[in-house]
mmCIF file of all heavy atoms in Angstrom:
data_model
loop_
_atom_site.group_PDB
_atom_site.id
_atom_site.type_symbol
_atom_site.label_atom_id
_atom_site.label_comp_id
_atom_site.label_asym_id
_atom_site.label_seq_id
_atom_site.Cartn_x
_atom_site.Cartn_y
_atom_site.Cartn_z
ATOM 1 N N ARG L 21 -94.267 -48.511 -23.613
ATOM 2 C CA ARG L 21 -94.222 -47.863 -22.312
ATOM 3 C C ARG L 21 -93.308 -46.601 -22.388
ATOM 4 O O ARG L 21 -93.528 -45.620 -21.732
ATOM 5 C CB ARG L 21 -93.639 -48.817 -21.249
ATOM 6 C CG ARG L 21 -94.375 -50.070 -21.128
ATOM 7 C CD ARG L 21 -95.862 -49.904 -20.917
ATOM 8 N NE ARG L 21 -96.038 -49.851 -19.440
ATOM 9 C CZ ARG L 21 -97.221 -49.562 -18.903
ATOM 10 N NH1 ARG L 21 -98.320 -49.394 -19.666
ATOM 11 N NH2 ARG L 21 -97.373 -49.546 -17.608
ATOM 12 N N GLN L 22 -92.279 -46.713 -23.260
ATOM 13 C CA GLN L 22 -91.330 -45.599 -23.477
ATOM 14 C C GLN L 22 -90.875 -45.655 -24.899
ATOM 15 O O GLN L 22 -90.665 -46.757 -25.466
ATOM 16 C CB GLN L 22 -90.132 -45.662 -22.494
ATOM 17 C CG GLN L 22 -90.469 -45.569 -21.095
ATOM 18 C CD GLN L 22 -89.201 -45.509 -20.207
ATOM 19 O OE1 GLN L 22 -89.203 -44.729 -19.300
ATOM 20 N NE2 GLN L 22 -88.227 -46.262 -20.462
ATOM 21 N N SER L 23 -90.741 -44.448 -25.516
ATOM 22 C CA SER L 23 -90.201 -44.482 -26.897
ATOM 23 C C SER L 23 -89.462 -43.193 -27.109
ATOM 24 O O SER L 23 -89.752 -42.151 -26.484
ATOM 25 C CB SER L 23 -91.310 -44.673 -27.907
ATOM 26 O OG SER L 23 -92.099 -43.512 -27.906
ATOM 27 N N LEU L 24 -88.470 -43.298 -28.018
ATOM 28 C CA LEU L 24 -87.691 -42.121 -28.409
ATOM 29 C C LEU L 24 -87.450 -42.223 -29.874
ATOM 30 O O LEU L 24 -86.931 -43.169 -30.360
ATOM 31 C CB LEU L 24 -86.354 -42.078 -27.674
ATOM 32 C CG LEU L 24 -85.423 -40.926 -28.011
ATOM 33 C CD1 LEU L 24 -85.982 -39.590 -27.612
ATOM 34 C CD2 LEU L 24 -84.073 -41.185 -27.273
ATOM 35 N N THR L 25 -87.836 -41.164 -30.607
ATOM 36 C CA THR L 25 -87.605 -41.011 -32.034
ATOM 37 C C THR L 25 -86.604 -39.919 -32.283
ATOM 38 O O THR L 25 -86.718 -38.861 -31.621
ATOM 39 C CB THR L 25 -88.924 -40.732 -32.813
ATOM 40 O OG1 THR L 25 -89.897 -41.764 -32.477
ATOM 41 C CG2 THR L 25 -88.687 -40.671 -34.282
ATOM 42 N N LEU L 41 -85.724 -34.608 -31.827
ATOM 43 C CA LEU L 41 -85.933 -35.666 -30.814
ATOM 44 C C LEU L 41 -87.398 -35.572 -30.371
ATOM 45 O O LEU L 41 -87.864 -34.465 -30.045
ATOM 46 C CB LEU L 41 -85.035 -35.417 -29.605
ATOM 47 C CG LEU L 41 -83.531 -35.549 -29.836
ATOM 48 C CD1 LEU L 41 -82.735 -35.019 -28.677
ATOM 49 C CD2 LEU L 41 -83.151 -37.036 -30.104
ATOM 50 N N VAL L 42 -88.061 -36.723 -30.405
ATOM 51 C CA VAL L 42 -89.478 -36.768 -30.018
ATOM 52 C C VAL L 42 -89.674 -37.922 -29.027
ATOM 53 O O VAL L 42 -89.340 -39.025 -29.261
ATOM 54 C CB VAL L 42 -90.407 -36.945 -31.238
ATOM 55 C CG1 VAL L 42 -91.870 -37.025 -30.805
ATOM 56 C CG2 VAL L 42 -90.165 -35.809 -32.266
ATOM 57 N N ASP L 43 -90.321 -37.546 -27.929
ATOM 58 C CA ASP L 43 -90.748 -38.509 -26.909
ATOM 59 C C ASP L 43 -92.157 -38.950 -27.288
ATOM 60 O O ASP L 43 -92.995 -38.131 -27.640
ATOM 61 C CB ASP L 43 -90.755 -37.926 -25.530
ATOM 62 C CG ASP L 43 -91.564 -38.752 -24.579
ATOM 63 O OD1 ASP L 43 -91.060 -39.880 -24.208
ATOM 64 O OD2 ASP L 43 -92.673 -38.388 -24.248
ATOM 65 N N GLY L 44 -92.394 -40.250 -27.132
ATOM 66 C CA GLY L 44 -93.683 -40.748 -27.481
ATOM 67 C C GLY L 44 -94.542 -41.334 -26.340
ATOM 68 O O GLY L 44 -95.685 -41.603 -26.525
ATOM 69 N N ALA L 45 -93.858 -41.518 -25.193
ATOM 70 C CA ALA L 45 -94.640 -42.207 -24.124
ATOM 71 C C ALA L 45 -94.298 -41.803 -22.696
ATOM 72 O O ALA L 45 -94.987 -42.224 -21.767
ATOM 73 C CB ALA L 45 -94.444 -43.708 -24.304
ATOM 74 N N VAL L 46 -93.189 -41.075 -22.469
ATOM 75 C CA VAL L 46 -92.796 -40.783 -21.093
ATOM 76 C C VAL L 46 -93.557 -39.518 -20.572
ATOM 77 O O VAL L 46 -94.058 -39.530 -19.475
ATOM 78 C CB VAL L 46 -91.287 -40.560 -21.011
ATOM 79 C CG1 VAL L 46 -90.932 -40.003 -19.640
ATOM 80 C CG2 VAL L 46 -90.556 -41.873 -21.265
ATOM 81 N N PHE L 47 -93.627 -38.512 -21.382
ATOM 82 C CA PHE L 47 -94.304 -37.308 -20.991
ATOM 83 C C PHE L 47 -95.824 -37.477 -21.136
ATOM 84 O O PHE L 47 -96.247 -38.470 -21.653
ATOM 85 C CB PHE L 47 -93.780 -36.092 -21.782
ATOM 86 C CG PHE L 47 -92.348 -35.815 -21.496
ATOM 87 C CD1 PHE L 47 -91.363 -36.409 -22.218
ATOM 88 C CD2 PHE L 47 -92.025 -34.840 -20.477
ATOM 89 C CE1 PHE L 47 -90.029 -36.093 -21.969
ATOM 90 C CE2 PHE L 47 -90.681 -34.592 -20.223
ATOM 91 C CZ PHE L 47 -89.686 -35.198 -20.982
ATOM 92 N N GLY L 48 -96.593 -36.463 -20.794
ATOM 93 C CA GLY L 48 -98.039 -36.582 -20.894
ATOM 94 C C GLY L 48 -98.573 -36.819 -22.292
ATOM 95 O O GLY L 48 -99.673 -37.312 -22.544
ATOM 96 N N LYS L 49 -97.807 -36.299 -23.255
ATOM 97 C CA LYS L 49 -98.198 -36.386 -24.667
ATOM 98 C C LYS L 49 -96.946 -36.380 -25.554
ATOM 99 O O LYS L 49 -95.925 -35.880 -25.058
ATOM 100 C CB LYS L 49 -99.111 -35.267 -25.072
ATOM 101 C CG LYS L 49 -98.485 -33.875 -24.935
ATOM 102 C CD LYS L 49 -99.417 -32.738 -25.321
ATOM 103 C CE LYS L 49 -98.679 -31.465 -25.152
ATOM 104 N NZ LYS L 49 -99.542 -30.370 -25.499
ATOM 105 N N PRO L 50 -96.967 -36.884 -26.746
ATOM 106 C CA PRO L 50 -95.782 -36.887 -27.592
ATOM 107 C C PRO L 50 -95.358 -35.384 -27.791
ATOM 108 O O PRO L 50 -96.203 -34.538 -27.987
ATOM 109 C CB PRO L 50 -96.319 -37.493 -28.870
ATOM 110 C CG PRO L 50 -97.426 -38.302 -28.510
ATOM 111 C CD PRO L 50 -98.099 -37.633 -27.384
ATOM 112 N N GLN L 51 -94.061 -35.199 -27.667
ATOM 113 C CA GLN L 51 -93.575 -33.821 -27.816
ATOM 114 C C GLN L 51 -92.126 -33.835 -28.249
ATOM 115 O O GLN L 51 -91.414 -34.781 -27.934
ATOM 116 C CB GLN L 51 -93.739 -33.047 -26.600
ATOM 117 C CG GLN L 51 -93.026 -33.567 -25.377
ATOM 118 C CD GLN L 51 -93.275 -32.788 -24.122
ATOM 119 O OE1 GLN L 51 -92.775 -31.705 -23.961
ATOM 120 N NE2 GLN L 51 -94.081 -33.356 -23.242
ATOM 121 N N ARG L 52 -91.662 -32.782 -28.895
ATOM 122 C CA ARG L 52 -90.250 -32.581 -29.208
ATOM 123 C C ARG L 52 -89.503 -32.213 -27.981
ATOM 124 O O ARG L 52 -90.020 -31.472 -27.102
ATOM 125 C CB ARG L 52 -90.084 -31.524 -30.322
ATOM 126 C CG ARG L 52 -90.373 -32.078 -31.663
ATOM 127 C CD ARG L 52 -89.969 -31.256 -32.776
ATOM 128 N NE ARG L 52 -88.718 -30.641 -32.740
ATOM 129 C CZ ARG L 52 -88.398 -29.582 -33.483
ATOM 130 N NH1 ARG L 52 -89.269 -29.017 -34.359
ATOM 131 N NH2 ARG L 52 -87.174 -29.056 -33.426
ATOM 132 N N LEU L 53 -88.278 -32.660 -27.862
ATOM 133 C CA LEU L 53 -87.397 -32.423 -26.711
ATOM 134 C C LEU L 53 -86.434 -31.235 -27.208
ATOM 135 O O LEU L 53 -85.267 -31.447 -27.322
ATOM 136 C CB LEU L 53 -86.660 -33.657 -26.354
ATOM 137 C CG LEU L 53 -87.517 -34.891 -26.081
ATOM 138 C CD1 LEU L 53 -86.742 -36.080 -25.825
ATOM 139 C CD2 LEU L 53 -88.418 -34.605 -24.870
ATOM 140 N N LEU L 77 -81.919 -33.561 -20.457
ATOM 141 C CA LEU L 77 -82.982 -34.548 -20.538
ATOM 142 C C LEU L 77 -83.487 -35.042 -19.237
ATOM 143 O O LEU L 77 -84.612 -35.143 -18.961
ATOM 144 C CB LEU L 77 -82.658 -35.703 -21.490
ATOM 145 C CG LEU L 77 -83.738 -36.788 -21.679
ATOM 146 C CD1 LEU L 77 -85.001 -36.193 -22.303
ATOM 147 C CD2 LEU L 77 -83.188 -37.906 -22.586
ATOM 148 N N VAL L 81 -87.254 -34.796 -17.707
ATOM 149 C CA VAL L 81 -88.009 -35.966 -17.353
ATOM 150 C C VAL L 81 -88.361 -35.943 -15.809
ATOM 151 O O VAL L 81 -89.488 -36.233 -15.443
ATOM 152 C CB VAL L 81 -87.267 -37.296 -17.690
ATOM 153 C CG1 VAL L 81 -88.059 -38.514 -17.185
ATOM 154 C CG2 VAL L 81 -87.071 -37.368 -19.242
ATOM 155 N N TYR L 98 -84.953 -44.322 -19.711
ATOM 156 C CA TYR L 98 -85.124 -43.383 -20.734
ATOM 157 C C TYR L 98 -83.785 -42.675 -21.069
ATOM 158 O O TYR L 98 -83.448 -42.483 -22.267
ATOM 159 C CB TYR L 98 -86.199 -42.356 -20.379
ATOM 160 C CG TYR L 98 -86.672 -41.588 -21.565
ATOM 161 C CD1 TYR L 98 -87.384 -42.202 -22.575
ATOM 162 C CD2 TYR L 98 -86.435 -40.213 -21.690
ATOM 163 C CE1 TYR L 98 -87.870 -41.473 -23.698
ATOM 164 C CE2 TYR L 98 -86.882 -39.512 -22.764
ATOM 165 C CZ TYR L 98 -87.627 -40.208 -23.764
ATOM 166 O OH TYR L 98 -88.072 -39.480 -24.835
#
Side-chain angles (χ1 to χ4, degrees):
R21 306 302 272 175
Q22 297 186 139
S23 68
L24 178 63
T25 304
L41 296 167
V42 179
D43 163 72
V46 171
F47 294 89
K49 61 182 180 179
Q51 61 184 286
R52 281 189 47 197
L53 307 172
L77 180 59
V81 175
Y98 197 65

